[in-house]
Amino acid sequence: MEHVLNIQEQQVDPIEWHDPKNDPFKVNGFAWFDKEKEYRRMPKHSVMELPICVDELANCTSGGQIRFKTDSTKLLLKTRLSGVADIGHMAATGQSGFDIYIGEPGKQHYLATAIPPIHEKTYEAMLWDFTSTSSELREVTINLPLYQGIEELLIGIEPDAIIEAPTSYISNKRALFYGTSITQGGSASRPGMSYTNILSRRFQLEFINLGFSGSGKGEREVALTIRDIENPACLVIDYEANVTPDEYEKTLVSFIEIYREQHPLVPIMVMSRIPHALDILPEQNLETMRRRNHSKKVVDQFKQNGDSHIVFVDGSKLLGMRWHEGTVDGVHPNDYGFMKMANGLEAPLWSMLKSVGVV
Amino acid sequence: MEHVLNIQEQQVDPIEWHDPKNDPFKVNGFAWFDKEKEYRRMPKHSVMELPICVDELANCTSGGQIRFKTDSTKLLLKTRLSGVADIGHMAATGQSGFDIYIGEPGKQHYLATAIPPIHEKTYEAMLWDFTSTSSELREVTINLPLYQGIEELLIGIEPDAIIEAPTSYISNKRALFYGTSITQGGSASRPGMSYTNILSRRFQLEFINLGFSGSGKGEREVALTIRDIENPACLVIDYEANVTPDEYEKTLVSFIEIYREQHPLVPIMVMSRIPHALDILPEQNLETMRRRNHSKKVVDQFKQNGDSHIVFVDGSKLLGMRWHEGTVDGVHPNDYGFMKMANGLEAPLWSMLKSVGVV
């Protein structure tokens, strides 16, 4: 890989550049990271042939988090991404930016955003400069871009600063979310505002985002790949928005069955999709209801057949009374919509995880 | 003006293009529109010399709304803007897009967004296509771009469709908001999500946005210009975020006094700014508190001197418990932040307007 980012570069204030793929940094949110050391959401070398769009979108780093502790007065990052921001209904900060939270898992507070320059895929950003205040050991979570790949990422820390491993999660089990562009985080204003990233701050667990924009189609190869993810805490299935009612009825049962073969007791949540603006049209509403009814019916069937670890969550209720305000384009949540989704999903997710002793 | 938008252009389905500056369309949100017929937030030909940034930013159409009724099966717009979207922490839809709501004032529901193509300042967009459903007379509100000027705008309607004037407001008085980039709507995901536009949907009144990004400095010339706006329902003063404590202490009293000379009984709300992420730094927090205390002190002084139409609203409380989640960059609200602001401002605004019989 061509290194356009010069690790030795000297600044006015000396900064040491670290590759966060190495200890004591932790990279979370990528199920195959420990084996492959890639910022990638599906395996790079899969025996399974993945749908081409899923394979490509797996390089988008949605849900990826870099975690560590440091007392550095300044914190910087520089990165080379796989492309420039080019989505009209999403801020560049959401597509190609990074944001940073401080605090332990479960207590993180948002601090700052690395704003990508327009038209540039290589950039450097100051995440904090606490020169004027007291230095203290801070725990850092950096959320990675939602709709872009990372070719290289370096974290800049003062040479004499402490760098330590972050606080461990309360379990090595990971919450998995499979779905669509909405799951992937379109159109959050910054990475931390996707619904899976918001939820990740309310649990002390690793969250893994498997949302594939326009490509959440419940394919057999995807189900077989996802069931290979070790130590699942739960699986949330949220792909209604990418399939016709026919496609949904053809895929959902077998998607769950494939997963269940390997994981009979892992809690599964099937959620119907959030309301879209054009659901006010009778024809579209019929399709929406057909998919929602199918989600519910399938969950009921599994329950009747003795599966006590599967629940249905009605996504049509998640955006609340002002549901129509919750998207940027009639489909993709804005940050108001994502916060409503996270608020509505928190309790059912907690119940699921509690039922198997993960929280 | 060069017309790059060809009014006579024929489509597969014939569409008639209308300039919404003409009846029966109504253009709201521009205080000088009736005189100047410009999409502009300050007078074009002012006797007053406006600060140059304010003069330029006045061309950004934040708060502008096109209103009408139509039973057209299809609704389109085409526009030539003054520039392309280029803000890294704001979606192009917010900076240069349009969004559409249907329903009477006070009952509007979001329907769709015109998404600007990246790198283009001239574009056409379909706002609705109800071909598959029954035609009915719908009341339309189109919110104009928050951070871009409009050089030309045309509304596309089927030739045989009804076009009617919109429902009148309950009063000819207008709610005025003066302030900063936050007031102007940075960084809403689409125009309808700025806090003034959200609030405009909860009252049956015209709202006028006088937020000037980075340039809300409480200058005498700006105060003199704003006091010329006829039929004010109220004036919200929200410019703390653009001035140092010293500048704020030098300008606030005289800004209010200038306004009061002309409008002794118009309700005034002075709001302190929303919390910024770096308010956790002691030094910055001291400045924030100094400005907030000044806002409160000035309002108290006016009250003690017999002004019973002035209130202070503590902006530091508006974003609620999860305040730190409410911005895209530590400063500018995301849609979650703007919704919280609107929710928190609705009641004090209603009280103010009620006190003078406007609502």
Side-chain angles (χ1 to χ4, degrees):
Chain A
M1 183 169 71
E2 178 207 8
H3 281 256
V4 299
L5 309 177
N6 179 357
I7 299 197
Q8 275 72 45
E9 186 183 316
Q10 287 299 309
Q11 307 230 337
V12 179
D13 299 306
I15 290 291
E16 253 175 29
W17 292 98
H18 300 263
D19 184 341
K21 288 185 178 179
N22 301 323
D23 285 340
F25 297 91
K26 289 282 174 223
V27 176
N28 293 116
F30 303 116
W32 289 268
F33 184 82
D34 286 345
K35 286 178 196 152
E36 301 186 346
K37 301 290 173 196
E38 296 279 346
Y39 299 123
R40 187 174 150 83
R41 298 181 297 146
M42 291 295 245
K44 187 155 192 182
H45 306 291
S46 174
V47 284
M48 207 71 56
E49 190 162 352
L50 290 170
I52 189 157
C53 287
V54 171
D55 193 51
E56 283 175 5
L57 288 163
N59 292 320
C60 292
T61 53
S62 180
Q65 300 180 355
I66 308 291
R67 301 195 308 123
F68 57 99
K69 292 179 189 168
T70 185
D71 67 346
S72 185
T73 301
K74 292 182 180 171
L75 184 69
L76 296 87
L77 69 74
K78 50 184 176 181
T79 190
R80 187 179 71 244
L81 303 176
S82 55
V84 299
D86 58 0
I87 303 177
H89 58 286
M90 188 168 185
T93 37
Q95 184 181 359
S96 304
F98 297 75
D99 60 17
I100 178 171
Y101 283 73
I102 51 178
E104 292 170 30
K107 295 179 184 169
Q108 294 110 317
H109 266 237
Y110 166 77
L111 186 74
T113 301
I115 302 176
I118 301 290
H119 314 315
E120 298 289 340
K121 57 182 191 173
T122 300
Y123 67 95
E124 181 176 323
M126 177 80 78
L127 293 174
W128 78 44
D129 180 354
F130 288 140
T131 308
S132 65
T133 191
S134 61
S135 100
E136 57 180 89
L137 194 66
R138 294 180 171 92
E139 180 147 358
V140 174
T141 304
I142 298 175
N143 296 299
L144 306 186
L146 299 172
Y147 268 74
Q148 204 68 266
I150 294 178
E151 296 184 352
E152 198 174 0
L153 175 63
L154 297 171
I155 306 294
I157 290 178
E158 289 174 327
D160 54 351
I162 296 168
I163 313 175
E164 285 181 7
T167 304
S168 298
Y169 293 125
I170 53 170
S171 164
N172 67 344
K173 297 204 169 177
R174 295 95 67 89
L176 314 182
F177 292 76
Y178 169 66
T180 66
S181 54
I182 297 171
T183 323
Q184 191 179 333
S187 296
S189 73
R190 51 181 173 79
M193 294 308 285
S194 73
Y195 85 81
T196 69
N197 273 336
I198 296 173
L199 283 169
S200 81
R201 293 191 288 280
R202 302 186 187 174
F203 295 86
Q204 299 165 56
L205 293 174
E206 183 172 13
F207 274 53
I208 291 181
N209 186 304
L210 302 160
F212 301 103
S213 184
S215 307
K217 302 206 177 268
E219 300 95 333
R220 176 182 154 76
E221 295 75 16
V222 174
L224 286 165
T225 306
I226 290 175
R227 81 173 184 185
D228 275 351
I229 297 175
E230 292 165 5
N231 299 319
C234 66
L235 172 65
V236 176
I237 298 176
D238 170 29
Y239 74 92
E240 260 195 28
N242 277 170
V243 284
T244 63
D246 279 350
E247 290 169 333
Y248 197 52
E249 285 165 13
K250 273 188 205 140
T251 53
L252 181 61
V253 168
S254 86
F255 193 94
I256 297 170
E257 283 175 347
I258 290 170
Y259 196 77
R260 271 284 173 258
E261 285 172 17
Q262 206 84 4
H263 303 286
L265 301 176
V266 169
I268 290 177
M269 178 195 295
V270 178
M271 61 183 277
S272 60
R273 78 151 163 71
I274 57 165
H276 291 180
L278 288 180
D279 286 348
I280 58 167
L281 296 181
E283 199 174 282
Q284 175 159 331
N285 193 39
L286 274 178
E287 290 208 348
T288 301
M289 287 199 301
R290 203 179 126 192
R291 276 185 301 245
R292 179 160 69 244
N293 291 342
H294 185 66
S295 288
K296 193 171 179 322
K297 196 184 77 185
V298 166
V299 168
D300 286 344
Q301 280 170 352
F302 274 87
K303 281 182 173 169
Q304 279 159 21
N305 295 336
D307 191 329
S308 57
H309 295 287
I310 188 164
V311 297
F312 166 72
V313 168
D314 187 348
S316 73
K317 310 285 189 224
L318 287 174
L319 299 188
M321 183 183 75
R322 295 200 169 98
W323 63 270
H324 61 98
E325 301 283 24
T327 73
V328 61
D329 60 351
V331 172
H332 298 97
N334 50 28
D335 289 7
Y336 171 65
F338 275 129
M339 185 61 81
K340 294 292 283 185
M341 287 184 75
N343 290 348
L345 289 168
E346 183 178 353
L349 190 60
W350 194 87
S351 297
M352 269 173 44
L353 295 170
K354 184 81 181 162
S355 74
V356 287
V358 175
V359 296
Chain B
M1 183 169 71
E2 178 207 8
H3 281 256
V4 299
L5 310 178
N6 180 357
I7 299 197
Q8 275 71 44
E9 186 182 316
Q10 286 301 310
Q11 307 231 337
V12 179
D13 299 306
I15 290 291
E16 253 175 30
W17 293 97
H18 300 263
D19 184 342
K21 288 185 177 179
N22 302 323
D23 284 340
F25 297 91
K26 289 283 174 222
V27 176
N28 293 116
F30 303 116
W32 289 268
F33 184 83
D34 286 346
K35 286 178 196 153
E36 301 186 347
K37 301 291 173 195
E38 296 278 346
Y39 299 123
R40 187 173 150 83
R41 298 181 297 146
M42 290 295 246
K44 187 154 192 182
H45 306 290
S46 174
V47 284
M48 207 71 55
E49 189 162 353
L50 290 171
I52 189 157
C53 286
V54 171
D55 193 50
E56 283 175 5
L57 288 163
N59 292 320
C60 292
T61 54
S62 180
Q65 300 181 355
I66 308 291
R67 301 196 309 123
F68 57 100
K69 292 179 189 168
T70 185
D71 67 346
S72 185
T73 301
K74 292 182 180 171
L75 184 69
L76 296 87
L77 68 74
K78 50 185 177 181
T79 190
R80 187 179 70 245
L81 303 175
S82 55
V84 299
D86 58 0
I87 303 176
H89 58 286
M90 188 167 185
T93 37
Q95 184 181 359
S96 303
F98 297 75
D99 60 17
I100 178 171
Y101 283 72
I102 51 178
E104 292 170 30
K107 295 179 184 169
Q108 294 110 317
H109 266 237
Y110 166 77
L111 186 73
T113 302
I115 302 176
I118 301 290
H119 314 316
E120 298 290 340
K121 57 182 190 173
T122 299
Y123 67 95
E124 180 176 323
M126 176 81 77
L127 293 174
W128 77 45
D129 180 354
F130 288 139
T131 309
S132 65
T133 192
S134 61
S135 99
E136 57 180 89
L137 195 66
R138 294 179 170 93
E139 180 147 359
V140 174
T141 304
I142 298 175
N143 296 300
L144 306 186
L146 299 173
Y147 268 74
Q148 204 68 266
I150 294 178
E151 296 185 352
E152 198 173 1
L153 175 63
L154 297 171
I155 306 294
I157 290 178
E158 289 173 329
D160 55 350
I162 296 168
I163 313 175
E164 285 181 6
T167 303
S168 297
Y169 293 125
I170 53 170
S171 164
N172 68 344
K173 297 204 170 177
R174 295 94 67 88
L176 314 181
F177 292 76
Y178 169 65
T180 66
S181 53
I182 297 172
T183 323
Q184 191 179 333
S187 297
S189 73
R190 51 181 173 79
M193 294 308 285
S194 74
Y195 85 80
T196 69
N197 273 336
I198 297 173
L199 283 168
S200 81
R201 293 191 288 279
R202 302 186 188 174
F203 295 86
Q204 299 165 57
L205 293 174
E206 183 173 12
F207 274 54
I208 291 181
N209 186 303
L210 302 160
F212 301 103
S213 185
S215 307
K217 301 205 177 270
E219 300 94 334
R220 176 182 154 77
E221 295 75 16
V222 174
L224 287 165
T225 306
I226 289 175
R227 81 173 185 186
D228 275 352
I229 297 175
E230 291 165 5
N231 298 319
C234 65
L235 173 64
V236 176
I237 298 176
D238 170 29
Y239 74 93
E240 260 196 27
N242 276 170
V243 284
T244 63
D246 279 350
E247 289 169 334
Y248 198 52
E249 286 165 13
K250 273 187 205 141
T251 53
L252 181 61
V253 168
S254 86
F255 193 94
I256 297 170
E257 283 176 348
I258 290 170
Y259 196 77
R260 271 284 173 258
E261 285 172 16
Q262 206 83 4
H263 303 286
L265 301 176
V266 169
I268 291 177
M269 178 195 296
V270 178
M271 62 183 274
S272 60
R273 78 151 162 72
I274 57 165
H276 291 181
L278 288 180
D279 286 348
I280 58 167
L281 296 181
E283 199 174 282
Q284 176 159 330
N285 192 39
L286 274 178
E287 289 208 348
T288 301
M289 286 199 301
R290 204 179 126 191
R291 276 185 301 245
R292 179 160 69 246
N293 290 342
H294 185 66
S295 288
K296 193 171 179 323
K297 196 183 77 184
V298 166
V299 168
D300 286 344
Q301 280 170 352
F302 274 87
K303 281 182 174 170
Q304 279 159 21
N305 295 336
D307 192 328
S308 58
H309 294 287
I310 188 164
V311 297
F312 166 72
V313 168
D314 187 349
S316 73
K317 310 286 189 224
L318 287 174
L319 299 188
M321 183 183 76
R322 296 201 169 97
W323 63 271
H324 62 98
E325 301 284 23
T327 74
V328 61
D329 60 351
V331 172
H332 297 97
N334 50 28
D335 289 8
Y336 171 65
F338 275 129
M339 185 61 80
K340 294 293 283 185
M341 287 184 75
N343 290 348
L345 289 168
E346 183 179 353
L349 190 60
W350 194 87
S351 297
M352 269 172 45
L353 295 170
K354 184 80 181 164
S355 74
V356 288
V358 175
V359 296

